[in-house]
Amino acid sequence: MLFRSAGRERTGVRFGPRTLDMDILLFEDRIIETPELTLPHPRMHKRRFVLQPLCDIDPAIVHPVFRKHIRTLLDHLDDEGQEVFPYDDPGGAPLP
């Protein structure tokens, strides 16, 4: 419903461009596996662009499956292809 109201349409291309993309990473310390929802997000521990901002918010958050702090997961992340770049405005002007 949220995606539809934002104008997102399914194209059939996985990981392709989209109007809106929202993932639920964690919900408290719950572990949920249903056809509709998997928590925590199944690949969050492999993604710097997820772990870094989460660590900036609270490095002591514990991943409920691995039972490790987010800071620990971030510190032991394989860096290949994981560089995080600040977002710049598509018009070329850096954001404040």
Side-chain angles (χ1 to χ4, degrees):
M1 174 97 165
L2 178 64
F3 292 123
R4 233 182 333 218
S5 66
R8 179 171 174 184
E9 296 178 14
R10 294 248 178 230
T11 64
V13 178
R14 188 169 183 185
F15 303 122
R18 40 197 171 283
T19 306
L20 176 67
D21 184 33
M22 182 174 20
D23 294 319
I24 301 171
L25 303 174
L26 299 163
F27 181 65
E28 298 175 343
D29 62 348
R30 296 183 190 190
I31 299 171
I32 301 171
E33 265 193 68
T34 69
E36 296 82 25
L37 180 65
T38 301
L39 289 178
H41 187 284
R43 290 172 300 284
M44 69 175 279
H45 66 286
K46 297 179 177 183
R47 297 177 169 169
R48 182 173 301 280
F49 71 90
V50 171
L51 295 176
Q52 184 64 64
L54 200 51
C55 190
D56 292 345
I57 294 167
D58 184 355
I61 293 171
V62 175
H63 190 290
V65 172
F66 298 114
R67 299 194 182 278
K68 294 183 179 183
H69 290 114
I70 295 301
R71 172 90 255 168
T72 302
L73 293 173
L74 181 61
D75 287 346
H76 292 92
L77 186 65
D78 177 6
D79 275 335
E80 187 174 328
Q82 294 288 328
E83 192 170 359
V84 176
F85 299 97
Y87 176 78
D88 285 336
D89 181 277
L95 295 175

